[in-house]
Amino acid sequence: MLGTAVAEALLRNDMVWRSVAPVVGLVLAFATLWRRTRPLAMVALGFGTSLAVDLASTLTEDVRFSLYAEASVVVLVYALFRWGTGREATIGSVIVLAGWGVNVITDFTGATDAIGGLVPLSASRSGCERPLRR
């Protein structure tokens, strides 16, 4: 994630806040490393970082901060349902839906994109091999 974020910051012409991209990539890389032992905390860290940067760029710039490396949060959602408890999955689902909702509100590009963005997040649950822990 860090390498992808740095490459995006250097190579993309439409990148806003180039210095923030490696920091976001570092946070996402850290979250991916710890996703099995602390799934809820890492979902909160990944989606919280993404949410904070999205809101900050929406409030201060005409163009939104967009990083393709942020797609790795889908792995965090999968880990939440795979290694988290039922309570963690419930709390994490609220965090994920809040992040999705804010993203739809701040950068609405149509109902198709809004629903299409929710599909991978909800499909992450169906790929789990075992039921949630109690």
Side-chain angles (χ1 to χ4, degrees), residues 14-17 53-66 106-109:
D14 62 343
M15 178 62 68
V16 189
W17 294 358
V53 173
D54 286 346
L55 284 175
S57 70
T58 300
L59 295 174
T60 60
E61 298 285 333
D62 290 338
V63 181
R64 269 186 19 94
F65 179 84
S66 174
T106 58
D107 189 28
F108 185 74
T109 56

Side-chain angles (χ1 to χ4, degrees), residues 89-102:
T90 303
I91 295 168
S93 295
V94 171
I95 293 170
V96 169
L97 286 175
W100 172 80
V102 169

Side-chain angles (χ1 to χ4, degrees), residues 64-129:
R64 269 186 19 94
F65 179 84
S66 174
L67 191 63
Y68 296 132
E70 287 180 311
S72 65
V73 296
V74 174
V75 173
L76 301 177
V77 176
Y78 171 80
L80 176 68
F81 287 101
R82 176 70 171 94
W83 291 289
T85 63
R87 179 177 291 154
E88 289 175 335
T90 303
I91 295 168
S93 295
V94 171
I95 293 170
V96 169
L97 286 175
W100 172 80
V102 169
N103 193 348
V104 168
I105 291 169
T106 58
D107 189 28
F108 185 74
T109 56
T112 306
D113 287 343
I115 294 169
L118 189 59
V119 169
L121 295 175
S122 61
S124 298
R125 167 64 182 107
S126 64
C128 295
E129 299 170 2

Side-chain angles (χ1 to χ4, degrees), residues 9-22:
L10 294 174
L11 300 174
R12 280 184 53 194
N13 293 331
D14 62 343
M15 178 62 68
V16 189
W17 294 358
R18 291 186 188 277
S19 60
V20 175

Side-chain angles (χ1 to χ4, degrees), residues 1-6 21 24-26 28-30 32-33 67 69-70 72-73:
M1 256 89 31
L2 180 58
T4 305
V6 170
V24 172
L26 182 65
L28 292 174
F30 174 77
T32 304
L33 288 174
L67 191 63
E70 287 180 311
S72 65
V73 296

